[in-house]
Coordinates of all heavy atoms in Angstrom, one line a residue:
M1 N -116.1 174.0 174.6 CA -116.7 173.4 173.5 C -115.9 172.2 173.0 O -114.7 172.3 172.7 CB -116.9 174.5 172.4 CG -118.1 175.3 172.5 SD -119.6 174.8 171.6 CE -119.2 175.2 169.9
K2 N -116.6 171.2 172.8 CA -116.0 169.9 172.2 C -116.0 170.0 170.7 O -117.0 170.3 170.1 CB -116.7 168.7 172.7 CG -115.8 167.7 173.4 CD -116.5 166.3 173.2 CE -116.5 165.5 174.5 NZ -117.4 164.4 174.4
Q3 N -114.8 169.8 170.1 CA -114.8 169.8 168.7 C -115.1 168.4 168.1 O -114.6 167.4 168.6 CB -113.4 170.2 168.2 CG -113.6 171.2 167.1 CD -112.3 171.7 166.5 OE1 -111.2 171.5 167.2 NE2 -112.3 172.2 165.4
K4 N -116.0 168.4 167.2 CA -116.3 167.1 166.6 C -115.3 166.7 165.6 O -114.9 167.5 164.7 CB -117.7 167.2 165.9 CG -118.8 166.6 166.7 CD -120.0 166.4 165.9 CE -121.3 166.1 166.7 NZ -122.5 166.3 165.9
T5 N -114.8 165.5 165.6 CA -113.9 165.0 164.6 C -114.7 164.5 163.4 O -115.6 163.7 163.6 CB -112.9 164.0 165.1 OG1 -113.7 163.2 166.0 CG2 -111.8 164.6 165.8
I6 N -114.4 164.9 162.3 CA -115.0 164.4 161.1 C -114.2 163.3 160.5 O -113.0 163.5 160.2 CB -115.2 165.6 160.0 CG1 -116.0 166.7 160.6 CG2 -115.8 165.1 158.7 CD1 -115.8 168.0 159.8
P7 N -114.8 162.2 160.3 CA -114.0 161.0 159.8 C -113.7 161.3 158.3 O -114.7 161.5 157.5 CB -115.0 159.8 160.0 CG -116.4 160.4 160.2 CD -116.2 161.8 160.6
L8 N -112.5 161.3 158.0 CA -112.1 161.5 156.6 C -111.6 160.3 155.9 O -111.1 159.4 156.5 CB -110.9 162.5 156.6 CG -111.2 163.9 157.1 CD1 -109.9 164.7 157.2 CD2 -112.2 164.7 156.3
R9 N -112.0 160.2 154.6 CA -111.6 159.1 153.8 C -111.0 159.6 152.5 O -111.4 160.7 152.1 CB -112.7 158.2 153.5 CG -113.2 157.4 154.7 CD -112.3 156.4 155.2 NE -112.8 155.6 156.4 CZ -112.7 156.1 157.6 NH1 -112.1 157.2 157.9 NH2 -113.2 155.4 158.6
K10 N -110.1 158.9 151.9 CA -109.5 159.3 150.7 C -110.3 158.9 149.5 O -110.6 157.7 149.3 CB -108.1 158.8 150.6 CG -107.2 159.5 149.6 CD -105.8 159.4 149.9 CE -105.1 158.5 149.0 NZ -103.6 158.4 149.3
C11 N -110.6 159.8 148.6 CA -111.2 159.4 147.3 C -110.3 158.7 146.4 O -109.1 159.2 146.3 CB -111.7 160.7 146.7 SG -112.3 160.5 145.0
T12 N -110.7 157.6 145.9 CA -109.8 156.8 145.0 C -109.6 157.5 143.7 O -108.8 157.1 142.9 CB -110.3 155.4 144.8 OG1 -111.7 155.4 144.5 CG2 -110.1 154.6 146.0
G13 N -110.4 158.5 143.4 CA -110.2 159.3 142.1 C -109.3 160.4 142.3 O -108.2 160.4 141.7
C14 N -109.7 161.4 143.0 CA -108.9 162.6 143.1 C -107.8 162.6 144.2 O -107.0 163.5 144.3 CB -109.8 163.9 143.3 SG -110.8 163.8 144.8
Q15 N -107.9 161.5 145.1 CA -106.9 161.3 146.1 C -107.0 162.3 147.2 O -106.1 162.5 148.0 CB -105.4 161.3 145.6 CG -105.2 160.3 144.4 CD -105.3 158.9 144.9 OE1 -104.7 158.5 145.9 NE2 -106.0 158.1 144.1
E16 N -108.1 163.1 147.3 CA -108.3 164.1 148.3 C -109.0 163.4 149.5 O -109.8 162.6 149.4 CB -109.1 165.2 147.8 CG -108.3 166.3 147.1 CD -109.1 167.3 146.5 OE1 -110.1 167.8 147.2 OE2 -108.9 167.7 145.4
M17 N -108.6 163.9 150.7 CA -109.3 163.5 151.9 C -110.6 164.3 152.1 O -110.6 165.5 152.1 CB -108.4 163.7 153.1 CG -107.1 163.0 153.1 SD -107.3 161.2 153.1 CE -107.8 160.9 154.8
K18 N -111.7 163.5 152.2 CA -113.0 164.2 152.4 C -113.8 163.6 153.4 O -113.5 162.4 153.9 CB -113.7 164.1 151.0 CG -113.0 164.5 149.9 CD -113.8 165.5 149.0 CE -113.0 166.1 147.9 NZ -113.8 166.6 146.9
D19 N -114.8 164.3 153.9 CA -115.7 163.8 154.9 C -116.4 162.6 154.3 O -116.9 162.6 153.2 CB -116.8 164.9 155.1 CG -117.8 164.5 156.1 OD1 -117.9 163.3 156.4 OD2 -118.6 165.4 156.5
K20 N -116.2 161.5 155.1 CA -116.7 160.2 154.5 C -118.2 160.1 154.2 O -118.6 159.4 153.4 CB -116.2 159.1 155.4 CG -117.1 158.8 156.6 CD -116.6 157.5 157.3 CE -117.7 156.6 157.7 NZ -117.4 155.6 158.7
R21 N -118.9 161.0 154.9 CA -120.4 161.0 154.6 C -120.7 161.5 153.3 O -121.8 161.3 152.7 CB -121.1 161.8 155.7 CG -121.2 161.1 157.0 CD -121.6 162.0 158.2 NE -120.7 163.2 158.1 CZ -120.8 164.2 159.0 NH1 -121.8 164.2 159.9 NH2 -119.9 165.2 159.0
T22 N -119.8 162.3 152.7 CA -120.1 162.9 151.4 C -119.6 162.0 150.2 O -119.8 162.3 149.1 CB -119.4 164.3 151.2 OG1 -118.0 164.1 151.2 CG2 -119.8 165.2 152.3
L23 N -118.9 160.9 150.6 CA -118.3 160.0 149.7 C -119.2 158.7 149.5 O -120.0 158.4 150.3 CB -116.9 159.5 150.1 CG -115.9 160.6 150.2 CD1 -114.6 160.1 150.9 CD2 -115.5 161.2 148.9
V24 N -119.0 158.2 148.3 CA -119.7 156.9 148.0 C -118.8 155.7 148.4 O -117.6 155.8 148.1 CB -120.1 156.8 146.6 CG1 -120.8 155.4 146.3 CG2 -121.1 157.9 146.2
R25 N -119.3 154.7 149.1 CA -118.5 153.6 149.5 C -118.7 152.4 148.6 O -119.8 152.1 148.2 CB -118.8 153.2 150.9 CG -118.0 152.2 151.5 CD -118.3 152.1 153.0 NE -117.5 151.0 153.7 CZ -118.0 149.9 154.1 NH1 -119.3 149.7 154.1 NH2 -117.2 149.0 154.7
I26 N -117.6 151.8 148.2 CA -117.7 150.6 147.4 C -117.2 149.5 148.3 O -116.1 149.6 148.9 CB -116.8 150.7 146.1 CG1 -117.3 151.9 145.3 CG2 -116.9 149.4 145.3 CD1 -116.3 153.0 145.0
V27 N -117.9 148.4 148.4 CA -117.6 147.3 149.3 C -117.3 146.1 148.5 O -118.0 145.7 147.6 CB -118.8 147.1 150.2 CG1 -118.4 146.1 151.3 CG2 -119.2 148.4 150.9
K28 N -116.3 145.4 149.1 CA -116.0 144.1 148.6 C -116.4 143.2 149.7 O -115.8 143.2 150.8 CB -114.6 143.9 148.2 CG -114.3 142.6 147.6 CD -112.9 142.6 147.1 CE -112.4 141.1 146.8 NZ -111.6 140.6 147.9
S29 N -117.3 142.3 149.5 CA -117.7 141.4 150.6 C -116.8 140.2 150.7 O -115.9 140.0 149.9 CB -119.1 140.8 150.4 OG -119.2 140.0 149.2
E30 N -117.0 139.4 151.7 CA -116.1 138.2 152.0 C -116.1 137.3 150.8 O -115.1 136.7 150.5 CB -116.6 137.5 153.2 CG -115.8 137.8 154.5 CD -116.4 137.1 155.7 OE1 -116.5 135.9 155.6 OE2 -116.6 137.8 156.7
N31 N -117.2 137.1 150.1 CA -117.2 136.2 149.0 C -116.7 136.9 147.7 O -116.9 136.4 146.5 CB -118.5 135.5 148.8 CG -119.7 136.5 148.7 OD1 -119.5 137.6 148.3 ND2 -120.9 136.1 149.0
G32 N -116.2 138.1 147.8 CA -115.5 138.7 146.7 C -116.5 139.5 145.8 O -116.1 139.9 144.7
E33 N -117.7 139.7 146.3 CA -118.6 140.4 145.4 C -118.6 142.0 145.7 O -118.5 142.3 146.9 CB -120.1 139.9 145.8 CG -120.9 139.5 144.6 CD -122.1 138.9 145.0 OE1 -123.1 139.6 145.3 OE2 -122.2 137.6 145.0
F34 N -118.6 142.7 144.7 CA -118.6 144.2 144.9 C -120.0 144.8 144.9 O -120.8 144.3 144.1 CB -117.8 144.8 143.7 CG -116.3 144.6 143.8 CD1 -115.7 143.5 143.1 CD2 -115.5 145.4 144.5 CE1 -114.4 143.2 143.1 CE2 -114.1 145.1 144.6 CZ -113.6 144.1 143.9
S35 N -120.2 145.7 145.7 CA -121.4 146.4 145.7 C -121.2 147.9 146.1 O -120.2 148.2 146.7 CB -122.4 145.8 146.6 OG -121.9 145.7 147.9
I36 N -122.2 148.7 145.8 CA -122.1 150.2 146.1 C -122.9 150.4 147.3 O -124.1 150.0 147.4 CB -122.5 151.0 144.9 CG1 -121.6 150.8 143.7 CG2 -122.6 152.5 145.3 CD1 -122.2 151.0 142.4
D37 N -122.3 151.0 148.3 CA -122.9 151.1 149.6 C -123.2 152.6 149.9 O -122.2 153.3 150.3 CB -121.9 150.5 150.6 CG -122.5 150.6 152.0 OD1 -123.7 150.8 152.2 OD2 -121.7 150.5 153.0
F38 N -124.4 153.0 149.9 CA -124.7 154.4 150.2 C -124.9 154.6 151.7 O -125.0 155.7 152.1 CB -126.0 154.8 149.4 CG -125.7 155.0 147.9 CD1 -126.0 154.0 147.0 CD2 -125.0 156.1 147.5 CE1 -125.7 154.2 145.6 CE2 -124.7 156.3 146.1 CZ -125.1 155.4 145.2
T39 N -125.2 153.5 152.4 CA -125.4 153.6 153.8 C -124.1 153.6 154.6 O -124.1 154.1 155.8 CB -126.3 152.4 154.3 OG1 -125.6 151.2 154.2 CG2 -127.6 152.4 153.6
G40 N -123.1 153.1 154.1 CA -121.8 153.0 154.8 C -121.8 152.0 155.9 O -120.9 151.9 156.7
K41 N -122.7 151.1 155.8 CA -122.8 150.1 156.9 C -122.7 148.6 156.4 O -122.7 147.7 157.2 CB -124.2 150.2 157.5 CG -124.3 151.5 158.3 CD -125.6 151.5 159.1 CE -125.6 152.7 160.1 NZ -126.4 153.8 159.6
K42 N -122.5 148.4 155.1 CA -122.3 147.0 154.7 C -121.0 146.4 155.1 O -120.0 147.2 155.2 CB -122.3 147.0 153.1 CG -123.8 147.2 152.5 CD -123.7 146.8 151.1 CE -125.1 147.2 150.5 NZ -125.1 147.0 149.0
P43 N -121.0 145.2 155.5 CA -119.8 144.6 156.0 C -118.8 144.3 154.7 O -119.3 144.2 153.6 CB -120.2 143.3 156.5 CG -121.5 142.9 155.9 CD -122.2 144.2 155.5
G44 N -117.6 144.3 155.0 CA -116.6 144.1 154.0 C -115.5 145.2 153.9 O -115.6 146.2 154.6
R45 N -114.6 145.0 153.0 CA -113.6 146.0 152.8 C -114.2 147.1 151.9 O -114.8 146.8 150.9 CB -112.4 145.3 152.1 CG -111.1 146.0 152.3 CD -110.0 145.4 151.5 NE -109.1 146.5 151.1 CZ -108.3 147.1 151.9 NH1 -108.2 146.7 153.1 NH2 -107.5 148.0 151.5
G46 N -113.9 148.3 152.3 CA -114.4 149.4 151.5 C -113.4 150.4 150.9 O -112.3 150.5 151.4
A47 N -113.8 151.0 149.8 CA -113.1 152.1 149.3 C -114.0 153.2 149.0 O -115.3 153.0 148.9 CB -112.4 151.6 148.0
Y48 N -113.5 154.4 149.0 CA -114.4 155.5 148.9 C -114.1 156.4 147.6 O -113.0 156.4 147.1 CB -114.2 156.5 150.1 CG -114.7 155.8 151.4 CD1 -113.9 155.0 152.0 CD2 -116.0 156.1 151.9 CE1 -114.3 154.3 153.2 CE2 -116.4 155.5 153.0 CZ -115.6 154.6 153.7 OH -116.0 154.0 154.8
I49 N -115.1 157.0 147.1 CA -115.0 157.9 145.9 C -116.0 159.0 146.0 O -117.1 158.8 146.5 CB -115.1 157.0 144.7 CG1 -114.8 157.8 143.4 CG2 -116.6 156.5 144.5 CD1 -114.5 157.0 142.2
C50 N -115.7 160.2 145.5 CA -116.6 161.3 145.4 C -117.7 160.9 144.5 O -117.5 160.2 143.5 CB -115.9 162.5 144.9 SG -114.5 163.1 145.7
P51 N -119.0 161.3 144.8 CA -120.0 161.1 143.9 C -120.0 162.0 142.7 O -120.8 162.9 142.5 CB -121.3 161.4 144.7 CG -120.8 162.3 145.8 CD -119.4 162.1 146.0
D52 N -118.9 161.8 141.9 CA -118.6 162.7 140.8 C -118.0 161.9 139.7 O -117.1 161.0 139.9 CB -117.5 163.6 141.4 CG -117.2 164.8 140.4 OD1 -117.0 164.5 139.2 OD2 -117.2 165.9 140.9
L53 N -118.6 162.1 138.5 CA -118.1 161.3 137.3 C -116.7 161.5 137.0 O -116.0 160.6 136.5 CB -119.0 161.7 136.1 CG -120.4 161.1 136.1 CD1 -121.2 161.6 134.9 CD2 -120.4 159.6 136.1
E54 N -116.2 162.7 137.3 CA -114.7 163.0 137.0 C -113.9 162.1 137.9 O -112.8 161.5 137.4 CB -114.4 164.5 137.3 CG -114.1 165.2 136.1 CD -113.8 166.7 136.4 OE1 -112.8 167.0 137.1 OE2 -114.7 167.5 136.1
C55 N -114.2 162.0 139.1 CA -113.5 161.1 140.1 C -113.6 159.7 139.7 O -112.6 158.9 139.8 CB -114.0 161.3 141.5 SG -113.4 162.9 142.2
L56 N -114.8 159.3 139.2 CA -114.9 157.9 138.7 C -114.0 157.6 137.6 O -113.4 156.6 137.5 CB -116.4 157.7 138.3 CG -116.7 156.4 137.8 CD1 -116.5 155.3 138.8 CD2 -118.2 156.3 137.4
E57 N -113.9 158.5 136.6 CA -113.0 158.4 135.5 C -111.5 158.3 135.9 O -110.8 157.5 135.4 CB -113.2 159.5 134.4 CG -114.4 159.3 133.6 CD -114.6 157.9 133.0 OE1 -113.6 157.4 132.4 OE2 -115.7 157.3 133.1
K58 N -111.3 159.2 136.9 CA -109.8 159.2 137.4 C -109.5 157.9 138.0 O -108.5 157.3 137.8 CB -109.7 160.3 138.4 CG -109.4 161.6 137.7 CD -109.1 162.7 138.9 CE -109.2 164.1 138.3 NZ -109.3 165.1 139.4
A59 N -110.5 157.4 138.8 CA -110.3 156.1 139.5 C -110.1 154.9 138.5 O -109.3 154.1 138.7 CB -111.4 155.8 140.5
R60 N -110.9 155.1 137.5 CA -110.9 154.0 136.4 C -109.5 154.0 135.7 O -108.9 153.0 135.5 CB -112.0 154.2 135.4 CG -112.3 153.0 134.6 CD -113.0 153.4 133.3 NE -114.4 153.9 133.4 CZ -115.5 153.1 133.1 NH1 -115.4 152.0 132.8 NH2 -116.6 153.7 133.3
K61 N -109.1 155.3 135.4 CA -107.8 155.4 134.7 C -106.6 155.0 135.5 O -105.6 154.3 135.1 CB -107.6 156.8 134.1 CG -108.4 157.0 132.8 CD -108.1 158.3 132.2 CE -109.1 158.6 131.1 NZ -109.7 159.9 131.2
S62 N -106.6 155.5 136.8 CA -105.5 155.2 137.6 C -105.6 153.9 138.4 O -104.7 153.6 139.1 CB -105.4 156.4 138.7 OG -106.5 156.4 139.5
K63 N -106.6 153.2 138.1 CA -106.9 151.9 138.8 C -106.9 152.1 140.3 O -106.4 151.2 141.0 CB -105.9 150.9 138.4 CG -105.9 150.6 136.9 CD -105.5 149.1 136.6 CE -105.5 148.8 135.1 NZ -106.9 148.8 134.6
G64 N -107.5 153.2 140.7 CA -107.5 153.5 142.2 C -108.2 152.4 143.0 O -107.8 152.0 144.1
L65 N -109.4 151.9 142.5 CA -110.1 150.9 143.2 C -109.3 149.6 143.2 O -109.2 148.9 144.3 CB -111.4 150.6 142.5 CG -112.5 151.6 142.7 CD1 -113.8 151.2 142.0 CD2 -112.8 151.9 144.2
E66 N -108.7 149.2 142.1 CA -107.8 148.0 142.1 C -106.8 148.1 143.2 O -106.5 147.1 143.8 CB -107.2 147.9 140.7 CG -108.0 147.2 139.7 CD -108.9 148.1 138.9 OE1 -109.1 149.3 139.4 OE2 -109.5 147.7 137.9
R67 N -106.2 149.3 143.3 CA -105.1 149.4 144.3 C -105.7 149.4 145.7 O -105.1 148.8 146.6 CB -104.4 150.8 144.1 CG -103.2 150.5 143.2 CD -102.3 151.8 143.0 NE -103.0 152.8 142.2 CZ -102.7 154.0 142.2 NH1 -101.7 154.5 142.9 NH2 -103.3 154.9 141.4
S68 N -106.8 149.9 145.9 CA -107.4 149.9 147.3 C -107.8 148.5 147.7 O -107.6 148.0 148.8 CB -108.8 150.7 147.3 OG -108.5 152.0 147.2
F69 N -108.4 147.7 146.7 CA -108.8 146.4 147.0 C -107.7 145.3 146.8 O -107.9 144.1 147.1 CB -110.0 146.0 146.2 CG -111.3 146.7 146.6 CD1 -111.9 147.7 145.8 CD2 -111.8 146.5 147.9 CE1 -113.0 148.3 146.1 CE2 -112.9 147.2 148.3 CZ -113.5 148.2 147.4
K70 N -106.6 145.7 146.1 CA -105.5 144.8 145.8 C -106.0 143.6 145.0 O -105.5 142.5 145.2 CB -104.8 144.4 147.1 CG -104.1 145.5 147.8 CD -103.4 145.0 149.0 CE -102.6 146.1 149.7 NZ -103.3 147.3 150.1
T71 N -107.0 143.9 144.1 CA -107.4 142.8 143.2 C -108.1 143.5 142.1 O -108.3 144.8 142.1 CB -108.5 142.0 143.9 OG1 -108.9 140.9 143.1 CG2 -109.7 142.7 144.4
S72 N -108.4 142.8 141.0 CA -109.0 143.4 139.9 C -110.5 143.7 140.2 O -111.1 142.9 140.9 CB -108.9 142.5 138.6 OG -109.5 141.3 138.8
V73 N -110.9 144.8 139.6 CA -112.3 145.2 139.8 C -113.1 145.1 138.6 O -112.7 145.7 137.5 CB -112.4 146.7 140.4 CG1 -113.8 147.2 140.5 CG2 -111.7 146.8 141.7
P74 N -114.1 144.3 138.5 CA -114.9 144.1 137.3 C -115.4 145.4 136.7 O -115.8 146.3 137.5 CB -116.0 143.2 137.6 CG -116.0 142.9 139.1 CD -114.8 143.6 139.7
K75 N -115.4 145.5 135.4 CA -115.9 146.7 134.7 C -117.3 147.1 135.2 O -117.6 148.3 135.2 CB -115.8 146.3 133.2 CG -116.1 147.5 132.3 CD -116.1 146.9 130.9 CE -117.0 147.6 129.9 NZ -118.4 147.4 130.2
E76 N -118.1 146.0 135.5 CA -119.5 146.3 135.9 C -119.6 147.2 137.1 O -120.6 147.9 137.3 CB -120.1 144.9 136.2 CG -120.5 144.1 135.0 CD -119.2 143.4 134.4 OE1 -118.3 143.1 135.2 OE2 -119.1 143.3 133.2
V77 N -118.5 147.1 138.0 CA -118.6 147.9 139.2 C -118.5 149.4 138.8 O -119.3 150.2 139.3 CB -117.5 147.6 140.1 CG1 -117.4 148.5 141.3 CG2 -117.6 146.1 140.6
Y78 N -117.7 149.7 137.8 CA -117.5 151.1 137.3 C -118.8 151.5 136.6 O -119.2 152.6 136.7 CB -116.3 151.2 136.4 CG -115.0 151.1 137.1 CD1 -114.3 149.9 137.1 CD2 -114.4 152.2 137.8 CE1 -113.0 149.9 137.7 CE2 -113.2 152.1 138.4 CZ -112.5 150.9 138.4 OH -111.3 150.9 139.0
D79 N -119.3 150.6 135.8 CA -120.5 150.9 135.1 C -121.7 151.2 136.0 O -122.5 152.1 135.8 CB -120.9 149.8 134.1 CG -119.9 149.6 133.0 OD1 -119.2 150.6 132.7 OD2 -119.9 148.6 132.3
K80 N -121.8 150.3 137.1 CA -122.9 150.5 138.0 C -122.7 151.9 138.8 O -123.7 152.6 139.0 CB -122.8 149.4 139.1 CG -123.9 149.4 140.1 CD -125.1 148.7 139.7 CE -126.1 148.7 140.8 NZ -127.4 149.4 140.5
L81 N -121.5 152.2 139.1 CA -121.2 153.4 139.8 C -121.6 154.6 138.9 O -122.3 155.6 139.3 CB -119.7 153.6 140.1 CG -119.3 153.2 141.5 CD1 -117.8 153.2 141.6 CD2 -119.8 154.3 142.5
R82 N -121.2 154.5 137.7 CA -121.6 155.6 136.7 C -123.1 155.7 136.6 O -123.6 156.9 136.6 CB -121.0 155.2 135.3 CG -121.5 156.1 134.2 CD -120.8 155.7 132.9 NE -119.5 156.3 132.8 CZ -119.3 157.5 132.3 NH1 -120.3 158.3 131.9 NH2 -118.0 157.9 132.2
E83 N -123.7 154.6 136.6 CA -125.2 154.6 136.5 C -125.8 155.3 137.7 O -126.7 156.2 137.6 CB -125.7 153.2 136.5 CG -126.9 152.8 135.6 CD -127.1 151.4 135.6 OE1 -127.8 150.9 136.4 OE2 -126.5 150.7 134.7
E84 N -125.3 154.9 138.9 CA -125.8 155.5 140.1 C -125.6 157.0 140.1 O -126.5 157.8 140.6 CB -125.2 154.9 141.3 CG -125.5 153.4 141.5 CD -126.9 153.2 142.0 OE1 -127.5 154.1 142.4 OE2 -127.3 152.0 142.0
L85 N -124.4 157.4 139.7 CA -124.1 158.8 139.7 C -124.8 159.6 138.8 O -125.3 160.8 139.0 CB -122.5 159.0 139.5 CG -121.6 158.4 140.5 CD1 -120.2 158.7 140.2 CD2 -121.9 158.9 141.9
T86 N -125.1 159.1 137.6 CA -125.9 159.8 136.6 C -127.3 159.9 137.0 O -128.0 160.9 136.9 CB -125.8 159.0 135.2 OG1 -124.4 158.6 135.0 CG2 -126.2 159.8 134.1
D87 N -127.9 158.8 137.6 CA -129.2 158.8 138.1 C -129.4 159.9 139.2 O -130.4 160.7 139.1 CB -129.6 157.5 138.7 CG -129.9 156.5 137.6 OD1 -129.9 156.8 136.5 OD2 -130.2 155.3 138.0
G88 N -128.4 160.0 140.0 CA -128.4 161.0 141.1 C -128.5 162.4 140.6 O -129.3 163.2 141.0
A89 N -127.8 162.7 139.5 CA -127.8 164.0 138.9 C -129.1 164.3 138.2 O -129.6 165.4 138.2 CB -126.6 164.1 137.9
D90 N -129.7 163.3 137.7 CA -131.0 163.4 137.0 C -132.1 163.8 137.9 O -133.0 164.6 137.6 CB -131.3 162.2 136.2 CG -130.6 162.0 134.9 OD1 -129.9 163.0 134.6 OD2 -130.6 161.0 134.3
S91 N -132.1 163.2 139.1 CA -133.2 163.4 140.0 C -133.2 164.7 140.8 O -134.1 165.0 141.6 CB -133.3 162.2 141.0 OG -132.1 162.2 141.8
K92 N -132.1 165.5 140.6 CA -132.0 166.7 141.3 C -132.9 167.8 140.7 O -133.1 167.9 139.6 CB -130.5 167.2 141.3 CG -129.9 166.9 142.7 CD -128.4 167.2 142.6 CE -127.6 166.2 143.5 NZ -126.2 166.3 143.2
Ligands
LIG1 ZN1 -112.7 162.7 144.4

């Protein structure tokens, strides 16, 4: 039996290694624009975070995204993430 390797990525909030398919990807494109990538296929540099408001707050406080991207991350990116995560919880 072949064992499948699960690609792991580190959450910028809780710093835990998780299956990347369960994480939300934040992408910074070549022109420096940030977007939230649910497909995991957008080009650009990515950082990962659990789809969890607690992790989002942790990332915001610890500047996890800033450290991943090595640049400042606009507040709007966090707001957008929060919006997406809240919407997701509502539709369940
Ligand atoms: Zn997390």
Side-chain angles (χ1 to χ4, degrees):
M1 275 267 286
K2 234 205 223 166
Q3 223 181 346
K4 258 194 195 166
T5 36
I6 300 164
L8 294 175
R9 292 293 180 273
K10 195 155 106 179
C11 167
T12 48
C14 59
Q15 307 291 312
E16 273 175 43
M17 298 298 287
K18 305 233 174 159
D19 180 346
K20 81 175 219 194
R21 285 166 305 178
T22 68
L23 298 169
V24 178
R25 184 168 178 250
I26 299 118
V27 184
K28 182 173 168 261
S29 69
E30 262 178 51
N31 56 24
E33 232 173 80
F34 288 95
S35 56
I36 296 152
D37 177 21
F38 288 101
T39 64
K41 291 190 172 100
K42 283 190 189 177
R45 201 187 148 73
Y48 293 82
I49 190 163
C50 305
D52 190 311
L53 285 175
E54 247 178 69
C55 285
L56 178 60
E57 282 310 313
K58 274 185 201 164
R60 198 201 290 255
K61 278 189 195 126
S62 65
K63 301 208 178 290
L65 284 181
E66 274 87 347
R67 267 185 288 165
S68 288
F69 290 114
K70 294 182 172 60
T71 182
S72 64
V73 174
K75 187 182 148 291
E76 287 73 36
V77 176
Y78 289 101
D79 288 345
K80 180 89 177 113
L81 260 172
R82 168 178 280 276
E83 219 173 87
E84 296 286 350
L85 296 182
T86 315
D87 283 357
D90 283 349
S91 66
K92 256 176 214 162

